[in-house]
Amino acid sequence: MLSAGSVYEPGRVFRIINEFKDIGIKATEYVGKNGNVYIRLSGHAGVRAFLNATRYLADNPKILYMGMGTQGQNAVSAGSTRFSIVYSLAYRVAELIFKDEYTLTDFFVNVTMDMAKLAVSMKVGGVVVGYFVTAGYIASGSVIVISLRIFFAGLVISYGLYKLDD
């Protein structure tokens, strides 16, 4: 079973693509004079529908919702984890109900293994996301390009862990 987090992630990517239709818009994470972490958005603020300012605190609900910046990525990871747990439990309960030779022991073993795979994938994904976010912000990369790289890296990680599990 591929990671359910890969199912959750496209929503964030599509939100970012719809908000930043121009590939040249960049987001920069920096620390302000007061020690707060900010996200600075380039381009014309008037053409953006949701993020209509040029600077936001990194823990602003709009930034967390879009999944931008380090804190935004952490919020997306937490949401993805919750979704994966619910998806895994629902899938395993359906297996328990409808499979003939599927016992309660199989159910608990599969749920436990799903959680272990989730922990490994979250750790590996966190390292990769940290690299892409940091490298993208240092290079002042496009928000869309960074988001797409993170999405495809998540797919590759999920597929690799799936093959390793087989």
Side-chain angles (χ1 to χ4, degrees), residues 17 20-26 42 140-145 148:
I17 289 173
F20 303 107
K21 292 176 178 63
D22 180 16
I23 200 102
I25 295 176
K26 296 177 180 25
S42 71
S140 295
S142 167
V143 178
I144 295 173
V145 173
L148 288 174

Side-chain angles (χ1 to χ4, degrees), residues 93-150:
V93 166
E95 272 188 329
L96 183 63
I97 293 170
F98 294 114
K99 275 190 172 180
D100 285 339
E101 296 187 20
Y102 193 79
T103 64
L104 205 52
T105 303
D106 295 328
F107 172 78
F108 285 117
V109 168
N110 284 337
V111 168
T112 304
M113 289 309 299
D114 288 344
M115 296 309 122
K117 287 187 275 187
L118 176 64
V120 170
S121 67
M122 292 304 292
K123 198 52 119 168
V124 172
V127 170
V128 171
V129 164
Y131 168 75
F132 279 133
V133 168
T134 304
Y137 288 147
I138 289 172
S140 295
S142 167
V143 178
I144 295 173
V145 173
I146 293 169
S147 297
L148 288 174
R149 284 182 181 168
I150 291 169

